[in-house]
Amino acid sequence: MAQTLKFGNKVWAAKEESVLAYNDINNNYKPLPFTFSRASTGTRVNKDGLIETMGQDIARIDYTDSADGVLLLEPVSTNIIPYSEDFSQSDWVKTNCTISANQSISPDGTLNADLMTATADDARIEDVVGSTGTVVTQSIYVKSANGNDVSGQIDFAGANVVTFTANNEWQRVETTLTNTSINPRLRVRITNNGDSIYVWGGQVEALSYSTSYIPTSGSSVTRAAETCNNSGNSEVFNDSEGVLFVNTATLQEGVTEKIISLSDGTTSNNIYFSFSGAANTIYGLVVSGGSTQASLSTTVSQIQPNKLLIKYKSNDISFWLNGFKVGFDTSANTPSGLKNLSFSYPTNAINFYGKTKEIGYYDATLTDIELETLTSYRNWVSMVNELNLNIIYNG
């Protein structure tokens, strides 16, 4: 048994149109890169905690939620706010407040965050964009300007209100509008006269969740969809038996299917994880000769980080989640011609969008004890950190 493909797990390398997976058996390093594409720039949070712009076709390793980094893959999205950083523009309607430009260091590390000061109670800035009929999400970064906690909210004309308390740290607040009779907008309110906050990075996009920041300066900007496919070859993958492991989270709960697959390049022979269009459902599937041999499912949030694993061998298929065997099939054939590992269905028709910390492939089956270890966490603190939870009490 050997781990014949490694990807991520704190070790990252990328260049234009490529992000590295590899084989390091016997300390002989062999590249097994994914082919990556994104026909635009895109932003990420780097290891220093700053938002930075990555060039076209450069994969983004993002550190927003993980000190180890994740491969961030996102769908196409457009920020329809024309001035995402300059709130002094006339597009932004000011009520009971003043705006002073470039007064603080923003989340991208430069002096371009604006100061919003309330001159009366219920101070607000607002930019109405687009037309009704679209589900949209608004988001913005806020921070207290005077060291004191400042109460405020964002909302859509009084609907879908999300309150916030601005403090000494930048925080991104967001809310989603599902009432399509209201024009899309971004509105920020400060509750009390005399309070002040820094604002930066306004975004409104036609999705049910917020994506990475898309800067604008005078017009809307679109970030293109990303693809990441075709790692490995027939020498890496074993048709007779093996283990495919992923540690990942989707960006959206259900709604549309997302897939990570190992295949022969067609839909006839593949092993894949399907993050279902039904919320809180993930499948592990094995297809051989065009026939589904095993379809195993588990109930769990797709948007939380999950350690998932499919073990396959003739008449011995099992599906694992976070240290537990959650399904098995004892009557199944294995696929043939396995050669491509992709963040998509083999036809590239169903792409995966999410945050992936690690992928591993083993060219032989492992024992149940080994599979339990592989999908579990090493200690309590590691588990809490990887699941992005807050430690409330630890003895």
Side-chain angles (χ1 to χ4, degrees), residues 34 48 80 92-93 98 109 252 278 395:
F34 287 93
D48 296 323
I80 57 178
W92 289 96
V93 177
T98 61
Q252 181 182 39

Side-chain angles (χ1 to χ4, degrees), residues 156-225:
F156 294 94
N160 297 66
V161 174
V162 170
T163 61
F164 63 82
T165 301
N167 55 32
N168 289 328
E169 300 293 331
W170 282 108
Q171 57 182 292
R172 194 184 197 189
V173 291
E174 63 184 74
T175 184
T176 297
L177 173 70
T178 55
N179 180 353
T180 55
S181 65
I182 301 173
N183 285 325
R185 68 192 65 208
L186 174 53
R187 179 157 68 179
V188 185
R189 295 172 179 261
I190 299 177
T191 305
N192 298 317
N193 180 25
D195 282 346
S196 57
I197 61 173
Y198 297 117
V199 290
W200 184 84
Q203 186 154 306
V204 173
E205 50 194 321
L207 290 171
S208 61
Y209 58 95
S210 63
T211 66
S212 60
Y213 173 54
I214 305 170
T216 66
S217 180
S219 63
S220 62
V221 173
T222 297
R223 183 197 59 246

Side-chain angles (χ1 to χ4, degrees), residues 241-246 271-273 282-286 293-298 307-321 323-334 364-372 374-375:
E241 61 178 292
V243 172
L244 179 62
F245 165 79
V246 299
I271 298 162
Y272 66 98
F273 300 98
I282 303 175
Y283 288 90
L285 298 102
V286 177
Q293 302 294 308
S295 179
L296 308 171
S297 66
T298 186
K307 295 187 175 186
L308 299 160
L309 177 153
I310 299 172
K311 181 192 79 171
Y312 67 96
K313 189 177 182 179
S314 181
N315 300 324
D316 185 11
I317 311 294
S318 61
F319 185 34
W320 292 71
L321 166 73
F324 296 96
K325 184 192 292 187
V326 293
F328 64 91
D329 193 310
T330 58
S331 178
N333 296 319
T334 60
T365 57
L366 307 177
T367 67
D368 278 8
I369 292 297
E370 290 172 319
L371 297 176
E372 179 183 359
L374 183 58
T375 54

